[in-house]
Amino acid sequence: MNQYYITTPIYYVNDRPHIGHCYTTVVADVAARFQRMVRGHDADVFFLTGTDEHADKVVTSAAENKVTPQEWADRNAAEFRRAFGACNGSFNDFIRTTESRHKDRVIEYITSLLKSGDIYRGQYTGWYDQGQEEYVTENAAREADFKSTISGKPLVKRTEDCYFFKLSKYQDALQKHIEAHPAFVSPSSRQAEILGRIRAGLNDVPISRPVTSDPATQWGIRVPGDDANRVYVWIDALFNYLSGVDAPERRTFWPAAVHLIGKDILWFHAAIWPALLMALRASSPAYDWVKLPHTIFGHGWWISEGMKMSKSLGNFISFERLMGYADRYSLDAVRWFLATQGPLSGADADFAHAKFIETYNAELANGLGNCTSRVSNMIDKYFGGVVPENAHDGEFAPQPGGGSPIDLALAARAAAKNPAPAGAEGRAFHFPETIAFHVKRAIEDQAAFDMSASLMHVTEIVRFVDDFISHTAPFTLAKTMNANPDAKPALAAILFACAEALRVASLLASPAMPTKMAHLWRDWNCAPAAGVALVELARYAGDHSLKAGQKLVKGEPLFMRADPAEAPPAEKA
Ligand code: MSP
């Protein structure tokens, strides 16, 4: 797949941005940036986020705030856009369901589905959760004692004229598609959940809501040709993924590579949405291009200090709280934490301060940050801040006759009565192969949407370099430079290998930490060339490697160590 289209859910414009929203958007951002780097061509990736604005709640909140629903939506959509900008989201577009470019498309889609008969008029009676704006099945209502599982408020019985979507017609096709495409619903635990529900049988679903004299019911897209009904907000919202690229110059991005969502909205995305797409495609030759997305990925939830986040407890990690962390520890550290410690694979993840500090210190301050500082300090001290000559192939193995850089380093250690760590004697370090392995795996992990596994290759490269440094002790070798003419080239080979490996690590880290890595690239004079694919950029000592003789500034440490005793940061005003 040469083009890559990734989406986030579009967020209810009534909420204040919080960690749930920022998480999905940051993870999608890391994926989008990684894919741009893999391709070396930004224009092949399209990343869409936005806001879902036609919920009834928008009307009530707007009234409470004495503004029109549109003004309320404008104001809050701007908040989301600002929040995602502050998280350094590199979205290509921000779609709002109140924009005519979206509404006009939805009307076209519904018109086509009305014509083909997959949307038809009927009557619906059911249990309605007013807070969630959704009907609950009879069974689910009974199990929950006719109360909302979300708000706890009583469900209400409603009968209304409405339009249905023939979901039942697509039961077989859906089931077959999901069974034949294991990546379609990911991770696999989610696939089992969805298949179970589909196999149990699908009923047609209501996709409209009546328009009455209540202003809250007048907000939304009217069913084409029927002003007494409007399109249900969920159907309206799902179509954003298509309307967002339904323009001649963008249509090639469809089908989406990944719809990243939270587990709570899996049913809409993994059952209703693909069935709608199948129906739309079948409705007219004009929609021949409307294929099914490649992956619907349902992540788990963040909890906070061990407790479920809920509106009633008021313990949501707000966007402002995240920015408090960003101010103190850097935005990139927050992005790294979200991307590596988040609930992507399914189990919920805890946003606990102690865990943030532990991750930050281990992986960033003492990991990548410390390792880059050590190496640039040595290059500064022993080579005047200039990348040393690399007269070596990156294969550091002890030689039978001795004399290789690793032998010289070990001999220097022995002479200084500073022996190599126990058991490490005779160890070989294969830089080109190790680097190629991590790059390849990081790309594969990204393709499988395993964000933390992919980023752990950064930490593994850092560990490899740290091991190499403690094995060879280049600072000990440096002390012998006056007495031994072979010591300097050996030291050069060792430090070049370390710096070059870290350059590659910085590439793999950059989708999560674009700002910090750009600082490193500026200091090290190694910003990746535009238009070059990752495998080329990341080749050890390849065409895009560090160049001997180039200036390498030691710069500020990338991440200052965090004091675990310090109180958690406050919300940033
Ligand atoms: N508007 C709908 C989505 C329509 S998409 C066609 C909606 N919006 S939402 O704002 O309520 O939620 C958006 C996303 O935030 C969901 O994917 C949801 O899972 C996610 N999160 C909300 N709280 C969350 C956590 N505590 N943790 C992680 N994600 C969570 O649903």
Side-chain angles (χ1 to χ4, degrees):
M1 200 175 353
N2 204 33
Q3 285 191 318
Y4 185 90
Y5 174 32
I6 184 166
T7 66
T8 72
I10 48 171
Y11 303 100
Y12 281 132
V13 77
N14 231 27
D15 275 350
R16 305 264 323 140
H18 61 63
I19 186 171
H21 312 124
C22 295
Y23 173 64
T24 318
T25 304
V26 165
V27 169
D29 185 63
V30 175
R33 287 177 187 268
F34 199 97
Q35 294 304 329
R36 292 186 191 113
M37 188 168 74
V38 165
R39 289 165 176 71
H41 196 231
D42 290 0
D44 283 341
V45 172
F46 196 76
F47 168 24
L48 183 70
T49 190
T51 41
D52 184 355
E53 308 189 356
H54 285 133
D56 296 0
K57 287 178 275 195
V58 171
V59 181
T60 30
S61 305
E64 281 159 24
N65 288 277
K66 302 195 170 47
V67 292
T68 65
Q70 190 62 57
E71 281 166 344
W72 181 248
D74 289 349
R75 192 188 287 180
N76 289 354
E79 285 288 304
F80 274 95
R81 198 193 276 268
R82 188 180 71 88
F84 296 155
C87 292
N88 207 356
S90 64
F91 40 92
N92 297 93
D93 201 351
F94 188 100
I95 193 158
R96 303 182 50 196
T97 55
T98 55
E99 289 170 330
S100 54
R101 62 163 168 154
H102 170 74
K103 292 192 287 190
D104 293 350
R105 289 285 175 269
V106 172
I107 290 169
E108 287 170 19
Y109 304 148
I110 304 273
T111 304
S112 195
L113 291 166
L114 280 165
K115 265 197 206 135
S116 70
D118 277 347
I119 288 182
Y120 64 93
R121 204 182 156 97
Q123 231 185 19
Y124 187 82
T125 301
W127 293 103
Y128 192 69
D129 181 334
Q130 283 173 304
Q132 292 304 105
E133 311 210 25
E134 67 179 325
Y135 278 96
V136 177
T137 63
E138 187 68 32
N139 272 345
R142 190 168 312 114
E143 267 168 34
D145 202 17
F146 302 97
K147 292 198 180 94
S148 165
T149 52
I150 309 289
S151 67
K153 292 195 183 136
L155 300 173
V156 292
K157 190 122 205 176
R158 273 210 201 170
T159 295
E160 52 198 31
D161 271 351
C162 87
Y163 292 82
F164 285 86
F165 169 54
K166 262 192 206 157
L167 182 61
S168 60
K169 179 175 161 188
Y170 292 94
Q171 170 162 349
D172 263 7
L174 263 179
Q175 190 176 322
K176 290 209 179 91
H177 186 83
I178 296 172
E179 286 165 349
H181 300 88
F184 183 64
V185 184
S186 294
S188 53
S189 53
R190 306 270 177 249
Q191 189 203 40
E193 177 189 329
I194 285 293
L195 269 180
R197 256 181 98 173
I198 293 177
R199 287 187 187 125
L202 295 179
N203 295 322
D204 292 351
V205 287
I207 58 104
S208 71
R209 294 289 179 265
V211 174
T212 67
S213 56
D214 175 358
T217 71
Q218 291 160 18
W219 181 239
I221 304 175
R222 297 300 150 99
V223 172
D226 181 353
D227 274 353
N229 284 285
R230 65 205 155 106
V231 178
Y232 175 37
V233 63
W234 257 105
I235 303 300
D236 167 359
L238 285 168
F239 277 128
N240 92 85
Y241 301 130
L242 203 56
S243 70
V245 292
D246 193 355
E249 69 286 2
R250 285 188 180 173
R251 234 164 259 153
T252 56
F253 284 108
W254 191 263
V258 183
H259 291 312
L260 182 63
I261 57 165
K263 62 181 180 183
D264 53 318
I265 55 178
L266 187 67
W267 181 248
F268 283 108
H269 283 83
I272 301 193
W273 178 230
L276 275 173
L277 290 169
M278 287 182 194
L280 187 62
R281 184 160 193 224
S283 72
S284 154
Y287 291 117
D288 219 27
W289 58 281
V290 178
K291 309 216 168 88
L292 295 190
H294 186 262
T295 292
I296 290 142
F297 197 103
H299 63 69
W301 274 39
W302 281 97
I303 58 174
S304 159
E305 302 289 346
M307 302 236 295
K308 187 174 158 99
M309 286 190 265
S310 76
K311 290 202 176 116
S312 48
L313 288 173
N315 64 341
F316 269 97
I317 304 276
S318 63
F319 161 69
E320 290 77 9
R321 171 63 62 100
L322 285 180
M323 290 302 111
Y325 274 86
D327 260 18
R328 194 191 287 168
Y329 305 105
S330 79
L331 174 68
D332 281 357
V334 173
R335 289 171 54 99
W336 177 269
F337 182 73
L338 293 178
T340 60
Q341 301 294 319
L344 198 61
S345 67
D348 290 346
D350 193 7
F351 193 99
H353 180 66
K355 187 168 137 197
F356 181 92
I357 298 301
E358 195 188 303
T359 307
Y360 174 86
N361 276 340
E363 290 168 10
L364 302 182
N366 299 334
L368 182 60
N370 184 53
C371 195
T372 50
S373 291
R374 283 171 96 186
V375 170
S376 50
N377 282 336
M378 286 191 275
I379 291 177
D380 184 68
K381 196 160 161 200
Y382 308 134
F383 294 93
V386 168
V387 176
E389 201 63 51
N390 175 40
H392 195 268
D393 57 7
E395 295 287 342
F396 293 89
Q399 298 299 315
S404 76
I406 210 160
D407 294 316
L408 285 166
L410 291 176
R413 293 193 75 137
K417 300 200 171 26
N418 167 23
E425 214 55 63
R427 181 170 165 193
F429 291 81
H430 306 291
F431 274 78
E433 183 191 319
T434 304
I435 295 303
F437 168 81
H438 287 300
V439 172
K440 179 168 173 278
R441 287 289 300 276
I443 294 173
E444 288 168 1
D445 290 336
Q446 286 283 338
F449 217 75
D450 190 340
M451 215 49 62
S452 60
S454 138
L455 292 170
M456 274 315 108
H457 293 290
V458 173
T459 303
E460 285 180 28
I461 294 175
V462 168
R463 244 181 239 143
F464 178 78
V465 173
D466 275 340
D467 273 3
F468 183 61
I469 293 175
S470 55
H471 193 70
T472 53
F475 30 87
T476 306
L477 182 62
K479 295 196 184 107
T480 68
M481 280 199 298
N482 289 338
N484 179 356
D486 292 335
K488 192 154 186 172
L491 188 63
I494 288 169
L495 290 181
F496 180 92
C498 293
E500 176 62 357
L502 290 171
R503 179 190 69 84
V504 175
S506 77
L507 291 171
L508 301 184
S510 64
M513 304 195 289
T515 311
K516 290 288 184 185
M517 295 308 101
H519 285 177
L520 183 73
W521 296 338
R522 186 199 53 206
D523 289 345
W524 285 25
N525 219 327
C526 64
V532 182
L534 177 61
V535 281
E536 287 305 320
L537 288 176
R539 206 179 296 286
Y540 177 86
D543 289 349
H544 299 273
S545 73
L546 293 168
K547 295 279 176 296
Q550 260 187 9
K551 195 93 192 109
L552 183 153
V553 177
K554 71 178 178 179
E556 294 292 306
L558 287 173
F559 304 96
M560 302 303 282
R561 274 191 195 89
D563 174 4
E566 202 180 351
E571 293 199 330
K572 189 185 173 195

